Amino acid sequence: DAGVIQSPRHEVTEMGQEVTLRCKPISGHDYLFWYRQTMMRGLELLIYFNNNVPIDDSGMPEDRFSAKMPNASFSTLKIQPSEPRDSAVYFCASSLAGGGGTFGSGTRLTVV
Amino acid sequence: AQSVAQPEDQVNVAEGNPLTVKCTYSVSGNPYLFWYVQYPNRGLQFLLKYITGDNLVKGSYGFEAEFNKSQTSFHLKKPSALVSDSALYFCAVRDYGGANNLFFGTGTRLTVIP
């Protein structure tokens, strides 16, 4: 298995633009997590899905953030409109029930 | 509610000496505990986990961790540190009896001094 695949690896965008981050989880994993990592706030759980259904989105910072999982092999995290304070590394992880997460390499987002 | 505390932001240790990175947790049910390592500009890599059974868990790269229920701790240890162990270490907990999401500590930066 290729592991959790995230794209793009790097994204630079202007303030106000829409940004879409993508994640392909490991086949067979029924949990998918989106995390954000910054120097100031560390690693934050944004949202997680179980069997494609959002279970807890309390970590999503604002309505500008949205996440979807249309099927078991794909998820997106969208920011619209983006702001400079959204600049961070965004990680996707997937797991089986009760297991730890396998993380992707992350997307480094810079909003200028 | 679940929570994880890593009381030390930074740990420095001389190469060849034993290292310990501390972690304490709080869950309402039975804990699933994990350690991850993050190297610069990389994602988190799984090191080891405790689910049940032997309190001493052995993981990747010579690391081990000891689950202590009475102290609600899960400290990461290695008998002899290598310079290449220098990285950011995260402890995480999952409450199998409750919400099934994974909560991370704030991370501890380990520096192994040659």
Side-chain angles (χ1 to χ4, degrees), chain B residues 39-75:
Chain B
Y39 296 100
N41 301 313
R42 302 286 296 277
L44 276 71
Q45 298 178 33
F46 171 80
L47 275 180
L48 51 81
K49 67 179 178 183
Y50 170 83
I51 302 296
T52 186
D54 194 347
N55 289 345
L56 184 64
V57 179
K58 294 188 183 296
S60 306
Y61 312 121
F63 284 93
E64 59 188 27
E66 186 166 12
F67 171 63
N68 187 318
K69 187 173 183 178
S70 63
Q71 297 184 6
T72 61
S73 66
F74 190 57
H75 301 331

Side-chain angles (χ1 to χ4, degrees), chain A residues 12-26:
Chain A
V12 179
T13 190
E14 292 185 348
M15 182 174 64
Q17 296 298 306
E18 176 181 302
V19 176
T20 299
L21 311 181
R22 297 173 176 79
C23 175
K24 177 178 168 50
I26 290 175

